[in-house]
Amino acid sequence: MKKKQIIVGIAIFLLIVLSVGFVWASVEDNCEVTLQTNSTEITQSQRQVTIMINLDAYDGDGYLGYEGTLQYDTNVFEDATITSLSDWETANYDKASQRIMATTTTAKAGTQIAQITLDLKEGITKTSTTVSITDLIFSDGNTQKTFSQTFNYT
């Protein structure tokens, strides 16, 4: 009788460990994000650069958030704003820490989730610059997946 209890206890423990393992893989395996810019060539008359954050693949319950760092040359760009799209809550951008973040309870694959707009300064003399979004962490509260991308503008 005692042997049966031990075997049942071990079986239950293994089931719990395996089920936690499947939950752990949720965002890691089923979240794909791309970052796109409108153009990497800046014209003389251009006043803004736009970067889109797209949630290409996602297979979860809709609860999702992101946080990352937006880095740009302050000699080229005056300011940055981030706008949430596709039912994401209002995005936050803290200029001092360069952190961007937002959450949603209705995440869906194949949607644009944010637009980052960088305002160009007037009279720029530099011929090239970069904008980086680093450590862009997407998380459902249990697991996370990190993305990064750098855009080179001329």
Side-chain angles (χ1 to χ4, degrees):
M1 185 68 163
K2 195 151 180 113
K3 238 183 195 179
K4 279 186 180 180
Q5 289 176 335
I6 292 172
I7 291 172
V8 169
I10 290 172
I12 291 173
F13 175 76
L14 288 175
L15 285 173
I16 291 171
V17 168
L18 289 175
S19 66
V20 169
F22 288 122
V23 170
W24 183 257
S26 64
V27 168
E28 256 181 51
D29 295 337
N30 300 314
C31 182
E32 289 300 325
V33 173
T34 56
L35 302 161
Q36 297 175 316
T37 187
N38 53 343
S39 174
T40 57
E41 293 182 19
I42 299 173
T43 65
Q44 293 252 337
S45 61
Q46 193 171 339
R47 292 286 142 244
Q48 294 179 326
V49 169
T50 304
I51 297 172
M52 301 300 293
I53 302 175
N54 303 307
L55 183 60
D56 296 326
Y58 174 68
D59 186 20
D61 61 4
Y63 290 89
L64 194 60
Y66 68 83
E67 178 180 19
T69 303
L70 172 65
Q71 299 170 321
Y72 58 89
D73 186 346
T74 57
N75 294 317
V76 175
F77 298 102
E78 251 181 306
D79 199 14
T81 55
I82 183 164
T83 306
S84 289
L85 306 170
S86 304
D87 293 328
W88 280 70
E89 294 177 15
T90 302
N92 293 310
Y93 170 60
D94 181 44
K95 191 172 184 175
S97 68
Q98 302 175 319
R99 302 297 289 169
I100 59 174
M101 65 184 76
T103 61
T104 188
T105 58
T106 59
K108 294 179 192 142
T111 58
Q112 294 181 328
I113 61 172
Q115 175 179 311
I116 299 169
T117 305
L118 297 149
D119 297 324
L120 290 156
K121 288 186 172 183
E122 290 193 31
I124 302 167
T125 56
K126 285 186 92 171
T127 57
S128 65
T129 190
T130 61
V131 175
S132 297
I133 300 172
T134 57
D135 300 324
L136 185 60
I137 300 169
F138 278 75
S139 177
D140 63 1
N142 295 316
T143 61
Q144 63 187 29
K145 190 165 184 182
T146 304
F147 303 90
S148 294
Q149 185 157 351
T150 298
F151 296 100
N152 297 308
Y153 293 98
T154 56

